[in-house]
Amino acid sequence: MNNKKQRGYVSLPGIGDLALSGLRPLIGILLGLIAGAGLIALSGVNPLSAYVAMLKGAFGSPQAFANVLVRASPLLIGGVGVAIGIKAGLWNVGIEGYMYAGAIGAGMVGIAALPVAPIVHIILSFLAAIAFAVVWGLGPAYMKAYRGVNEVVATIMMNYVAIFFTSWMVHEPQPMAEPGSFFPMSRMIAPTAKLPILMKGTSLHPGFIIGLIACVVLYFVLRYTPFGFRTRMLGVNPVGSRYAGVNVRQQMLFVLLIGALMGGVSGAVEILGLKQRVYMDFVAGVGYESVAVALLAGGNPLGVIASALFFSALKAGGATMSIQTGVGGPMTVVIEALCVIFVIGVGYSERKRLERLDVAEKEDKEVEYDVA
Amino acid sequence: MSPDIIIDWLQASLRWGAPLILVAIGEVYSERSGVINMGIEGIMLFGALAGIAISFFTGNVLLATIGTMILGALFGLAVAFLTVSRKTNQVVTGLMVNLMALGGTNLLFALLSESRHVRVERYPLLFPESFSNIPILGPVLFRQPVSTWVALILPFIAAYILYRTDWGLNVRAVGENPQAAATAGLPVIKLKYQAVILSGLFAALGGCVLTLAEVGYFASGGMTAGRGFVVLAAVVVGGWDPLKTALVCLVFGAADAAQLRMQTAGSVIPYQFLQMLPYLITVIALAGVVGRSRPPKTWGAPYDPADI
Amino acid sequence: MTQNIEIAMRMEGITKRFPGVLANDRISLDCRKGEVLGLLGENGAGKTTLMNILYGLHQPDSGKIFIEGKEVKIESPAKAIELGIGMVHQHFKLVDTLTALENVILGIPSEHPMVLDLAPARKRFLSLCEEYDLYVDPTVETWRLSVGKQQWLEILKALYRDARLLVLDEPTAVLTPSEGEQLFKAIRKLTKEGRSVIFISHKFGEVLEITDRITVIRDGHVVGTVPTKEATYPELARMMVGRPVSMDRKPRPSATKIDPVLVMENVQANNDRGLPALKNINLTVKAGEIVGVAGVDGNGQLELAECIVGLRKRTGGSIRIQGHDVDRVMADPSFVGYIPADRQKVGLFLTLTVAENLVVKDYAKPPFTRRGVLRYQAIRQHANRLIKEYNIRTPSSEVQVVHLSGGNQQKVVVAREMSAQPPLVIASQATRGLDLGAVESVHNFLLKERNRGAAVLFISTELQEVMSLSDRIIVMFRGEIMGEMDGEAADINVIGQMMLGQVTEVVA
């Protein structure tokens, strides 16, 4: 590395050294599961029986798999929101906050008894969720794009602000709050705003379909639209993007806002499909798990589908494991983190290896300029 | 506002600032060596739990502190192995350590359920009670646990080490230009490991102080509440200087203390908005220094000895 | 001095292989006590790799190294320093934010590690400055030093560690002619004291001037070693390149058009640190001429280029390209073609494909985008045409550019920037790091652009090529244009003075 390159500012590392390929993610996941097995063994449970319980809990019955899909919904939507940020070299870890904002928006419209058809009520609730989340996201997005504030710290700080804001919204005398409840929470959403149940005896709602569509659409956007092309350019080389005429700040703003939008939808799906009330802490780390989902997918929207399903199977199965073997439920979160750490730690990062090859080839003699 | 409230607030500011300062000291070294340890939030959380647990089982705060610091150093070692040796992305590594800590502490705390909400032995005051009777200074400065004093003195020692010793010079060189440092014969990797391990050690200590000096119990569900990230911001705002960073930490501590006081004082502003205050101040402070605060040149970038 | 020649350092059969390339192939050479050994070779011939092995930065795959007769294993720079080897890299290894003195003592364990006492070090440092007539202020932060002073500092750093064998890698690349003289004086003093110097260069003139013997390296192996007294320019050139080369002034037809293409008026801009880098630049480049920008690196040339292509904000003044404000036509490939110094940073998107890299300025226009959707077929066709036209060696248009060799990466940039035949061409350090053959073809290429009627701004720190290529030459010093002269009539001494900031009459 020469002195020139080091001059000026070094921004946070982007997608560059996250580029994954081949078997590496699978090996990493396997190692993560093995490490998890070690921890389970430490807590005095046979890891094999724990994992069998987990598998049964996730895939043992149609009902169990429905549960997996329910849990996958927010991870799919939030995960793809983080993923598009990663493709642009941005760490949008504010999903937790956007989910609260979206939930409040969806809740406000959803609680109201509107004289409209359910589909209209649902759409209006989603629109409100999107509006709230995007407005919420404007703050950190502007700070990053136009003021150069580190987006990791800014978005995480805003997550805490969102939690307290939600707490205020569901406390009396705010109009959303359920009057006289011991635990502060919002009123129940109207039956017309509730997402339909797809399978009797489960909570399966169409959230996962929304998630799958979001992943496919964003994959298409990234690959086949000028906007997506600019996003990828930004992620690979911000300086070069500016030189090639990309409005880098505006692009950053839009990409972060797409993440916010997704977070809002994710929050709305949780409220309208599952929880039916807004309350403090209802997200409970799903926003951070969305980040893990996107990281495991290497920022690829289609990869998000696989990693979100994997994580939700882990979580759904984890509940069963907890009941049957006594291993604590939070163990699944630990395993998730371990999987990502092993995935990024297993291989020498691809990009670096390629650069090495490139350095070596610079000594290659076939440099010439015979231009036709 | 009566003077009592102000004195009480100043005293609390120091106490709330202390853990932040301790965490920040380690992070300054780590970032000066070029490695952003974003996992300090999680290591703090582990430290908070470990402090309570060891103190509960042994009844000895010194043992609890030392044990916690060793645990923190081990976490630092793990982060160093990943980011320095495996060259993993520092942001991802940190975020995953945090996620693991959130799950891990919840899990362990459930196992140690006997100690749930049991208050434990806390840090003693450094000065005899009688000192507290001195007007103003007494309650503010002397009715403080040992940990506050450590946190107030440590930044000076840290600054001395960073600017006035061989090791400090070496760490500064490594973060600015590791190739140059290597060419001058310095063991770059070793120095980075040392700095990152320090950040883990101090992060755990900060978490331990949070519980053993302040609250006296552990609460599951991420009781450090983003303080690790506040510290990350403080280091940037403080320009990677131990003294300035400590000062910024005190300001953040004061904001924390202020919102708690205002909550109890029955302010017209809803308390949730007061709770938001420290986080908002952090973001605004960051926005204020952007462009003026210059990070170490290889901040956040992996070092590859094969690049010359 | 017949039989008892003392050998300071000997390398035997050094072989070093990197993935895909044999950098050093059984290289053997020796350096005598008190001599200057020239190591001559083109960029990429393997000189630097060899010296990095000597300095412990790389480990050889095979071969032996002897220092003063004893076989040694140099596993780290620390060991090399201990053996009395000092090295000044082409890209300086200084920590910018440390002071000059701190850089000098970096890595030397002090007597009391807990008390960094700089006083004795300062005394020793200043006496070295005086002894070798290379003065550097010890208290100043290194980034404030001029490039020449940084070079002195690197040499003083090695001498402070009592280097008996000093390796200088392309030391004159960053020096003004008079600083070069000062360096040569210091080198002669060093050898008189019995120290040895290995002088790496690809410039014949200076190698012939300063060295005692010359070892020529080509393609990773030693072509031969000759005593300087017996060496001749053509012979060295033949050894180094394998064929005769000329670096004389390029013949050219006289310019036919005279319309101004680039007009800069009172342009001011800051550098990355927010300090003024361009002060009131007034410059016009006309169609069909090459304007060369000479000057020591870091005197505003980079900022000049970045302002013109719209990468850097001006703090004042105006820039017009064919009458259009630069902010309007930025990134429009039909106005400016930019061949940047740091192609990987500015010009390329390493993990995008060759095809994608070739459309990063036009992807949103038809035929590449129709009805809001990218048409990869059109993008591929465009790529295949340019790959053929510019002879880019790549397995396909769908390969990521990171997999291409440096020269082919450069061609991707050139193909993209030049395919629209822009009226203005900015070449910033375009030949840096290329070997002689490639340099020659860059020169021919720019000349062809000129003859087609393009206005060419050619920025280089290599005086030789500026003089051989330019129709007009301007010299930059501390963000100002010190003077302008006709390319035909330019005098190297005048330019040298201007590079130092002196505009006064020159002693003939």
Side-chain angles (χ1 to χ4, degrees):
Chain A
M1 207 183 270
N2 70 34
N3 285 339
K4 271 271 134 47
K5 262 192 210 162
Q6 293 177 4
R7 206 146 282 172
Y9 288 59
V10 177
S11 60
L12 291 175
I15 179 66
D17 33 12
L18 276 184
L20 302 169
S21 70
L23 283 175
R24 185 124 32 79
L26 293 180
I27 296 170
I29 287 168
L30 199 65
L31 287 174
L33 290 175
I34 292 171
L39 291 180
I40 292 171
L42 270 182
S43 60
V45 175
N46 180 353
L48 203 64
S49 56
Y51 278 146
V52 168
M54 194 183 257
L55 268 177
K56 271 197 194 138
F59 304 104
S61 65
Q63 285 76 16
F65 189 65
N67 188 19
V68 170
L69 291 180
V70 169
R71 286 172 187 266
S73 311
L75 292 181
L76 281 167
I77 307 170
V80 79
V82 180
I84 188 169
I86 289 176
K87 278 289 177 202
L90 295 166
W91 298 102
N92 198 354
V93 286
I95 297 295
E96 194 101 350
Y98 312 139
M99 284 179 76
Y100 282 111
I104 289 171
M108 277 176 141
V109 176
I111 289 166
L114 299 181
V116 293
I119 178 76
V120 178
H121 199 171
I122 289 171
I123 289 175
L124 286 177
S125 302
F126 269 106
L127 288 178
I130 288 171
F132 264 66
V134 169
V135 169
W136 187 263
L138 261 176
Y142 170 82
M143 286 285 198
K144 166 65 183 175
Y146 292 90
R147 301 304 308 265
V149 170
N150 178 327
E151 74 274 24
V152 179
V153 176
T155 50
I156 285 183
M157 293 292 107
M158 290 306 284
N159 289 346
Y160 289 99
V161 176
I163 292 176
F164 296 125
F165 184 72
T166 308
S167 159
W168 178 69
M169 285 297 286
V170 299
H171 266 80
E172 287 182 87
Q174 264 48 254
M176 255 181 109
E178 177 79 67
S181 87
F182 172 72
F183 185 77
M185 58 171 110
S186 78
R187 285 182 281 149
M188 186 94 91
I189 58 162
T192 43
K194 196 173 169 336
L195 294 179
I197 293 294
L198 300 181
M199 185 197 271
K200 271 218 174 89
T202 69
S203 347
L204 185 64
H205 56 76
F208 74 97
I209 300 175
I210 298 176
L212 291 176
I213 293 173
C215 290
V216 173
V217 166
L218 279 181
Y219 172 80
F220 180 84
V221 167
L222 273 176
R223 172 111 180 112
Y224 289 103
T225 67
F227 178 86
F229 193 75
R230 277 196 289 278
T231 305
R232 286 188 291 137
M233 279 169 71
L234 180 62
V236 175
N237 184 350
V239 179
S241 305
R242 199 152 62 85
Y243 164 65
V246 175
N247 185 338
V248 168
R249 293 173 186 281
Q250 187 189 312
Q251 191 71 18
M252 281 184 177
L253 187 81
F254 284 161
V255 168
L256 287 171
L257 289 183
I258 289 177
L261 187 155
M262 287 296 159
V265 173
S266 173
V269 161
E270 284 288 270
I271 293 304
L272 304 177
L274 193 63
K275 314 265 183 190
Q276 301 182 44
R277 288 178 194 274
V278 184
Y279 48 89
M280 192 181 169
D281 286 341
F282 87 90
V283 175
V286 168
Y288 294 109
E289 287 173 62
S290 301
V291 177
V293 163
L295 289 172
L296 194 65
N300 182 332
L302 295 184
V304 166
I305 296 175
S307 65
L309 283 174
F310 170 62
F311 277 2
S312 50
L314 214 57
K315 284 177 73 177
T320 312
M321 173 182 78
S322 187
I323 295 163
Q324 293 192 356
T325 66
V327 175
M331 178 61 86
T332 53
V333 178
V334 176
I335 295 177
E336 280 172 27
L338 283 172
C339 284
V340 177
I341 287 177
F342 275 106
V343 167
I344 60 169
V346 162
Y348 200 49
S349 56
E350 186 83 349
R351 161 86 178 275
K352 208 60 207 166
R353 198 169 59 79
L354 294 177
E355 273 175 7
R356 173 74 38 72
L357 222 65
D358 181 57
V359 169
E361 280 176 17
K362 266 181 207 144
E363 310 219 356
D364 161 1
K365 300 280 294 173
E366 54 154 318
V367 183
E368 57 189 86
Y369 255 69
D370 40 347
V371 177
Chain B
M1 237 187 277
S2 76
D4 278 357
I5 291 182
I6 293 178
I7 286 171
D8 179 47
W9 170 61
L10 286 174
Q11 195 226 21
S13 298
L14 288 184
R15 271 187 293 125
W16 282 107
L20 300 183
I21 293 175
L22 292 170
V23 181
I25 294 299
E27 185 65 16
V28 164
Y29 281 124
S30 177
E31 294 197 11
R32 274 291 181 128
S33 84
V35 181
I36 308 170
N37 184 355
M38 276 218 180
I40 48 174
E41 168 86 8
I43 301 176
M44 244 183 123
L45 199 52
F46 272 121
L49 179 61
I52 284 289
I54 303 175
S55 177
F56 176 74
F57 287 119
T58 66
N60 184 331
V61 284
L62 186 66
L63 217 58
T65 309
I66 294 171
T68 304
M69 286 164 79
I70 293 172
L71 180 82
L74 289 175
F75 271 103
L77 179 68
V79 172
F81 173 74
L82 287 166
T83 56
V84 179
S85 295
R86 302 301 309 168
K87 300 180 191 66
T88 59
N89 186 297
Q90 294 172 12
V91 179
V92 181
T93 310
L95 291 176
M96 289 307 113
V97 168
N98 295 339
L99 189 61
M100 190 157 68
L102 195 63
T105 51
N106 286 350
L107 193 69
L108 290 170
F109 187 58
L111 289 180
L112 306 169
S113 51
E114 334 152 41
S115 59
R116 186 185 299 258
H117 292 289
V118 169
R119 292 192 176 249
V120 297
E121 189 70 21
R122 295 200 261 165
Y123 288 123
L125 302 185
L126 181 62
F127 291 93
E129 278 288 341
S130 54
F131 274 68
S132 307
N133 298 330
I134 304 169
I136 306 175
L137 279 184
V140 174
L141 280 180
F142 299 121
R143 198 184 296 153
Q144 293 281 2
V146 186
S147 52
T148 304
W149 279 92
V150 172
L152 288 180
I153 294 165
L154 205 65
F156 292 94
I157 299 172
Y160 178 86
I161 291 176
L162 190 62
Y163 298 118
R164 291 274 176 272
T165 67
D166 270 17
W167 186 79
L169 177 66
N170 295 350
V171 167
R172 281 186 289 146
V174 161
E176 279 293 326
N177 190 341
Q179 283 79 22
T183 317
L186 292 180
V188 174
I189 305 259
K190 190 170 134 197
L191 284 162
K192 278 180 183 268
Y193 261 83
Q194 289 169 346
V196 178
I197 288 172
L198 267 187
S199 75
L201 184 151
F202 276 109
L205 176 63
C208 178
V209 166
L210 193 68
T211 47
L212 289 190
E214 190 55 26
V215 286
Y217 58 85
F218 187 84
S220 62
M223 70 167 294
T224 46
R227 285 195 177 79
F229 289 99
V230 170
V231 166
L232 285 168
V235 173
V236 175
V237 176
W240 292 268
D241 175 82
L243 289 175
K244 279 188 218 150
T245 303
L247 209 61
V248 176
C249 287
L250 277 180
V251 173
F252 287 154
D256 227 351
Q259 63 93 356
L260 283 170
R261 263 42 10 214
M262 283 159 81
Q263 275 185 48
T264 49
S267 131
V268 279
I269 310 167
Y271 72 89
Q272 290 96 342
F273 286 83
L274 298 172
Q275 285 176 314
M276 294 174 195
L277 212 62
Y279 302 103
L280 289 173
I281 289 176
T282 304
V283 177
I284 292 164
L286 266 185
V289 297
V290 163
R292 269 179 283 155
S293 187
R294 211 188 67 83
K297 223 172 282 163
T298 61
W299 191 62
Y303 165 69
D304 191 334
D307 293 337
I308 291 164
Chain C
M1 279 246 291
T2 41
Q3 277 311 310
N4 54 3
I5 296 165
E6 282 186 77
I7 302 293
M9 184 279 297
R10 188 152 57 88
M11 296 177 107
E12 258 184 36
I14 299 288
T15 298
K16 176 70 183 176
R17 189 183 293 277
F18 290 115
V21 69
L22 187 59
N24 290 163
D25 182 11
R26 286 160 291 156
I27 288 191
S28 296
L29 57 81
D30 58 48
C31 180
R32 298 167 188 171
K33 216 166 179 174
E35 82 164 349
V36 181
L37 175 73
L39 201 53
L40 190 67
E42 290 196 71
N43 284 309
K47 303 167 297 201
T48 302
T49 304
L50 186 67
M51 289 302 113
N52 282 338
I53 288 172
L54 178 61
Y55 197 63
L57 287 163
H58 290 318
Q59 295 308 310
D61 298 332
S62 63
K64 294 174 182 168
I65 302 174
F66 300 86
I67 300 290
E68 280 158 7
K70 276 197 280 295
E71 184 178 347
V72 291
K73 193 161 159 34
I74 306 174
E75 63 278 326
S76 70
K79 174 81 182 189
I81 293 165
E82 191 192 315
L83 288 167
I85 302 168
M87 181 153 176
V88 177
H89 290 81
Q90 186 175 4
H91 302 294
F92 300 146
K93 301 295 175 195
L94 295 170
V95 182
D96 273 3
T97 50
L98 300 186
T99 66
L101 188 61
E102 283 174 331
N103 263 295
V104 167
I105 59 158
L106 190 64
I108 302 175
S110 63
E111 271 177 59
H112 311 284
M114 288 314 288
V115 207
L116 194 63
D117 184 9
L118 295 176
R122 181 196 311 268
K123 218 173 124 199
R124 167 123 190 265
F125 177 78
L126 287 174
S127 77
L128 280 174
C129 286
E130 201 174 328
E131 197 179 337
Y132 295 94
D133 193 21
L134 303 171
Y135 182 76
V136 179
D137 181 352
T139 58
V140 79
E141 283 182 1
T142 317
W143 65 270
R144 293 177 187 276
L145 294 172
S146 72
V147 200
K149 291 278 186 194
Q150 293 187 15
Q151 167 96 264
W152 295 169
L153 183 58
E154 282 280 26
I155 294 172
L156 291 164
K157 193 168 123 189
L159 293 175
Y160 190 93
R161 286 141 208 259
D162 202 20
R164 292 182 302 282
L165 172 65
L166 188 63
V167 181
L168 302 174
D169 191 356
E170 303 275 2
T172 58
V174 296
L175 300 182
T176 62
S178 85
E179 283 173 330
E181 276 309 310
Q182 210 179 337
L183 172 69
F184 283 7
K185 248 170 64 191
I187 290 178
R188 290 195 186 99
K189 182 164 166 49
L190 287 171
T191 51
K192 215 170 278 168
E193 293 167 355
R195 300 177 204 259
S196 316
V197 174
I198 297 181
F199 188 96
I200 304 178
S201 181
H202 65 271
K203 297 181 190 165
F204 307 109
E206 58 188 36
V207 170
L208 285 168
E209 184 184 344
I210 188 71
T211 62
D212 299 306
R213 288 187 308 145
I214 302 168
T215 296
V216 182
I217 295 184
R218 188 173 77 217
D219 288 339
H221 59 261
V222 173
V223 184
T225 299
V226 288
T228 307
K229 274 181 211 143
E230 297 163 24
T232 61
Y233 177 98
E235 188 201 349
L236 286 177
R238 190 192 45 73
M239 285 168 78
M240 184 168 125
V241 190
R243 61 183 164 82
V245 271
S246 90
M247 271 302 235
D248 295 337
R249 195 171 159 71
K250 303 270 182 194
R252 66 199 63 201
S254 55
T256 48
K257 297 192 208 161
I258 46 155
D259 335 326
V261 174
L262 171 71
V263 180
M264 302 179 77
E265 279 171 354
N266 298 322
V267 172
Q268 293 150 19
N270 291 340
N271 64 13
D272 289 342
R273 290 188 187 263
L275 305 172
L278 295 180
K279 303 165 193 161
N280 271 334
I281 298 286
N282 287 291
L283 176 65
T284 301
V285 185
K286 301 192 202 88
E289 73 168 348
I290 297 180
V291 173
V293 180
V296 176
D297 208 3
N299 275 291
Q301 299 100 317
L302 177 71
E303 288 82 2
L304 181 74
E306 289 184 346
C307 276
I308 299 171
V309 299
L311 262 179
R312 184 172 294 271
K313 268 216 165 72
R314 298 188 301 282
T315 51
S318 75
I319 302 178
R320 299 187 154 268
I321 298 169
Q322 284 193 328
H324 301 274
D325 189 282
V326 70
D327 300 326
R328 297 271 179 84
V329 299
M330 171 190 167
D332 187 335
S334 57
F335 280 93
V336 194
Y338 179 41
I339 306 177
D342 193 341
R343 58 173 175 262
Q344 295 212 340
K345 189 169 154 206
V346 181
L348 290 173
F349 296 79
L350 288 179
T351 51
L352 296 189
T353 65
V354 172
E356 287 172 329
N357 266 281
L358 287 169
V359 295
V360 293
K361 285 176 164 185
D362 317 288
Y363 59 90
K365 297 177 200 148
F368 307 128
T369 295
R370 279 188 204 280
R371 287 192 216 104
V373 178
L374 286 172
R375 305 291 163 163
Y376 277 95
Q377 203 182 348
I379 293 172
R380 261 195 297 274
Q381 277 170 4
H382 172 76
N384 288 333
R385 188 170 58 78
L386 290 182
I387 286 171
K388 207 175 276 168
E389 200 173 313
Y390 286 82
N391 195 17
I392 302 167
R393 288 191 200 158
T394 170
S396 90
S397 63
E398 298 308 292
V399 170
Q400 296 182 349
V401 282
V402 71
H403 293 286
L404 268 51
S405 72
N408 282 301
Q409 289 184 348
Q410 180 87 322
K411 284 192 222 167
V412 172
V413 176
V414 171
R416 182 183 71 218
E417 298 293 316
M418 297 302 155
S419 56
Q421 303 223 326
L424 178 63
V425 176
I426 314 283
S428 173
Q429 304 284 14
T431 60
R432 182 179 278 176
L434 300 183
D435 67 23
L436 271 188
V439 168
E440 181 108 16
S441 62
V442 173
H443 290 172
N444 290 338
F445 170 76
L446 290 174
L447 211 55
K448 218 176 69 194
E449 290 294 309
R450 167 203 182 269
N451 295 342
R452 142 176 96 75
V456 179
L457 190 69
F458 179 67
I459 299 172
S460 171
T461 49
E462 300 260 346
L463 207 42
Q464 195 71 46
E465 66 172 0
V466 173
M467 294 184 69
S468 82
L469 202 59
S470 312
D471 296 298
R472 272 192 302 143
I473 297 174
I474 62 167
V475 184
M476 286 193 71
F477 177 73
R478 295 203 181 147
E480 288 179 83
I481 294 178
M482 299 309 292
E484 178 186 321
M485 65 215 78
D486 193 83
E488 295 286 348
D491 177 350
I492 191 162
N493 293 316
V494 178
I495 297 179
Q497 294 283 347
M498 286 178 172
M499 282 164 73
L500 281 173
Q502 293 159 356
V503 270
T504 45
E505 267 70 37
V506 187
V507 194

